[in-house]
Amino acid sequence: MTRFLNFIDGEFVAGSGEAFANHFPTTGEVIGEVSAAGRADVDAAVGAAKAALKGPWGRMSIPERVALLRKLADGINARFDEFLAAEIRDTGKPRSIASHIDIPRGAANFNVFADQILTASTETFEMATPDGGGALNYALRLPRGVIAVVCPWNLPLLLMTWKVAPALACGNTVVVKPSEETPATATLLGEVMNAVGIPRGVYNVVHGMGPGAAGEFLTSHPDVNGITFTGETRTGEAIMRAAAGGIRPVSLELGGKNAGIVFDDADLEATLEGLGRACFANTGQVCLGTERLYVQRGIFDRFVEGLAAKARSYRFGDPFDPATTMGPVISAEHRAKVLSYYDKARAAGATLIAGGGTPDVAGYAGGYWVEPTVWTGLPEDAAVVRDEIFGPCTHVTPFDTEEEALALANDTPYGLATSIWTTNLGRAHRTAKAIEVGIAWVNCWFLRDLRTPFGGSKASGIGREGGIHSMEFYTELRNVCIKL
Ligand SMILES: NC(=O)c1ccc[n+]([C@@H]2O[C@H](COP(=O)([O-])OP(=O)(O)OC[C@H]3O[C@@H](n4cnc5c(N)ncnc54)[C@H](O)[C@@H]3O)[C@@H](O)[C@H]2O)c1
Ligand SMILES: O=C/C=C/C=C(\O)C(=O)O
């Protein structure tokens, strides 16, 4: 049984909070115990992070920091199999996903933001002064200080390093609160931090729950200078309230109810491949996934049939077996939530095209399995069409005109991402511009260039991360005005 400790000031320490169990979602077995941080431990972590700003880390040049970030990427890659196993045991996700997405991106994030800080520039303005002389303004890009990083469980290492890497690149220190469901890779990263020579206190990890526990202790801590959060919209509201105390900036990457739009001129095979992944990859637990599809009437029946075939094509089982293509959902609680929506769809009179229940997975009866599911026939105000479910399921609605598709897609409080499929160039540009989201993919899904702005509109978030946009959040600009 693994014991996951907090990582504070370069050391692994037990916390004063109540320890809790870590489950393997594939079997439901308890495979670890997580030592939760109490308020005093969070104080110690924030204190260590604050002190580290004044230590060697704070005096380091950008090239020195960049060299350490590259060592972190190499350090993760050198222990690739350990990170892979840790992520798989926390999430039950298939090896094929974790080895292609989670761990490589977890490492790559450090290299990407090392590159970014080397080229991040600031403005200068020369001005005339009333005395006939002049002055020169230039901006200094300074770290904000101690950054609280609060993370979800769906892509644990990837989403954590997506924030930790730019925060460190900019010279901040961090206190990470991983999801209580997935403590492993954040903890393992502490070992890599020490091994490559990141000074103590620069990276800290506190484990525990959110409300009334480590998450809240951290986000309400007065010595935290900025909060970056990925998770549910409701939690984002609580974090924003906590950030109001002391006026701390927030970056919020929140929930969604993303629409996919398929026009009848789309390449059907490519569309099914792309949207099949958008609906079902990672057992539907991707914030960018599509839980609502709008398909033009001319290809509606063929599309629905093709998507049902995709839904039925997954293989459940041992995540370490390369033949497994779909894992369980993260927890018994989350499975109950997803299945409650399967019940709601039934009660609302949906036409069930595929799935709709729980599979029998031989040898893994205790796992948190749910079937990939496709429905049609529900009105737009049905709970299944409106609420974020965060499971491997989608509802498909037919439409006739471009205007109608856009009105349907935009009729949601959320605005994270969309995936539009058409071979008509003009329509692609028009639709991408008219849809109210932060990320519009055309003829693709989850194709990521890490220099691009990433984030949500409406209730899906505040701010953008990625490339220079991360630098904007993790630094503060100071204007220096020199009278010449
Ligand atoms: N927009 C994005 O980039 C993005 C990416 C991934 C996931 N998500 C969203 O995340 C959600 C799934 O993740 P989740 O269930 O882990 O989200 P969650 O909001 O339940 O939890 C996220 C983190 O916040 C902590 N937390 C909870 N309440 C808190 C509080 N009051 N104060 C401080 N911390 C608190 C949790 O312990 C956890 O570490 C989905 O809604 C999904 O759409 C969004
Ligand atoms: O579940 C959400 C996935 C988010 C992905 C990223 O933040 C990324 O690719 O950088």
Side-chain angles (χ1 to χ4, degrees), residues 105 154-155 158-159 162 253 285-288 390 446 448 450 454:
R105 262 293 302 283
N154 59 327
L155 298 161
L158 186 162
L159 289 173
W162 176 240
E253 297 188 346
Q285 302 165 120
V286 182
C287 58
L288 309 160
F390 221 53
F446 207 174
R448 294 278 290 114
L450 304 184
F454 180 95

Side-chain angles (χ1 to χ4, degrees), residues 260-264 266 268 271-272 275 292-304 307 376 395-401 404-405 408 421:
I261 304 180
V262 184
F263 291 98
D264 58 13
L268 187 59
T271 307
L272 285 167
L275 286 181
R292 300 182 292 148
L293 298 179
Y294 298 101
V295 179
Q296 208 159 14
R297 214 171 291 275
I299 54 163
F300 184 80
D301 290 342
R302 277 189 298 147
F303 178 88
V304 169
L307 191 67
T376 61
H395 179 266
V396 199
T397 303
F399 72 85
D400 292 301
T401 66
E404 188 189 354
L408 289 165
W421 295 78

Side-chain angles (χ1 to χ4, degrees), residues 224-257:
V224 163
N225 306 110
I227 304 170
T228 177
F229 169 73
T230 298
E232 287 185 20
T233 295
R234 185 73 63 79
T235 312
E237 290 174 354
I239 286 183
M240 226 175 144
R241 277 193 288 273
I247 316 292
R248 279 91 46 77
V250 289
S251 174
L252 302 177
E253 297 188 346
L254 308 177
K257 187 70 179 178

Side-chain angles (χ1 to χ4, degrees), residues 2 14 43 230 248 252 343 383 389 414 448 456 462 470:
T2 314
D43 277 350
T230 298
R248 279 91 46 77
L252 302 177
D343 290 342
I389 302 171
Y414 294 110
R448 294 278 290 114
I462 292 187
S470 293

Side-chain angles (χ1 to χ4, degrees), residues 247-481:
I247 316 292
R248 279 91 46 77
V250 289
S251 174
L252 302 177
E253 297 188 346
L254 308 177
K257 187 70 179 178
N258 307 309
I261 304 180
V262 184
F263 291 98
D264 58 13
D265 58 23
D267 172 339
L268 187 59
E269 203 178 315
T271 307
L272 285 167
E273 194 281 325
L275 286 181
R277 281 188 298 113
C279 295
F280 307 126
N282 208 38
T283 321
Q285 302 165 120
V286 182
C287 58
L288 309 160
T290 49
E291 289 188 352
R292 300 182 292 148
L293 298 179
Y294 298 101
V295 179
Q296 208 159 14
R297 214 171 291 275
I299 54 163
F300 184 80
D301 290 342
R302 277 189 298 147
F303 178 88
V304 169
E305 196 181 302
L307 191 67
K310 293 278 179 211
R312 294 191 197 102
S313 70
Y314 286 93
R315 280 192 58 173
F316 305 96
D318 174 3
F320 291 95
D321 178 347
T324 298
T325 51
M326 183 168 286
V329 296
I330 191 71
S331 63
E333 190 190 2
H334 190 54
R335 181 171 69 161
K337 175 184 165 181
V338 174
L339 292 178
S340 78
Y341 279 97
Y342 287 20
D343 290 342
K344 283 180 192 174
R346 203 172 301 125
T351 304
L352 182 66
I353 307 292
T358 53
D360 286 328
V361 185
Y364 298 96
Y368 311 135
W369 309 103
V370 293
E371 283 179 331
T373 294
V374 179
W375 304 282
T376 61
L378 287 176
E380 289 298 298
D381 62 359
V384 163
V385 185
R386 297 214 69 80
D387 301 351
E388 180 184 58
I389 302 171
F390 221 53
C393 53
T394 198
H395 179 266
V396 199
T397 303
F399 72 85
D400 292 301
T401 66
E402 188 178 317
E403 293 68 31
E404 188 189 354
L406 282 167
L408 289 165
N410 282 337
D411 182 18
T412 170
Y414 294 110
L416 185 56
T418 188
S419 177
I420 301 159
W421 295 78
T422 177
T423 50
N424 177 327
L425 193 58
R427 174 178 271 165
H429 284 287
R430 277 195 305 275
T431 317
K433 191 167 177 185
I435 191 158
E436 297 157 357
V437 292
I439 303 149
W441 277 294
V442 177
N443 295 331
C444 57
W445 176 75
F446 207 174
L447 189 54
R448 294 278 290 114
D449 181 324
L450 304 184
R451 297 167 298 184
T452 59
F454 180 95
S457 305
K458 299 173 14 185
S460 290
I462 292 187
R464 297 290 180 270
E465 297 192 21
I468 189 66
H469 311 283
S470 293
M471 304 291 114
E472 298 300 348
F473 180 72
Y474 295 105
T475 56
E476 194 153 61
L477 295 177
R478 175 182 304 148
N479 188 64
V480 180
C481 176

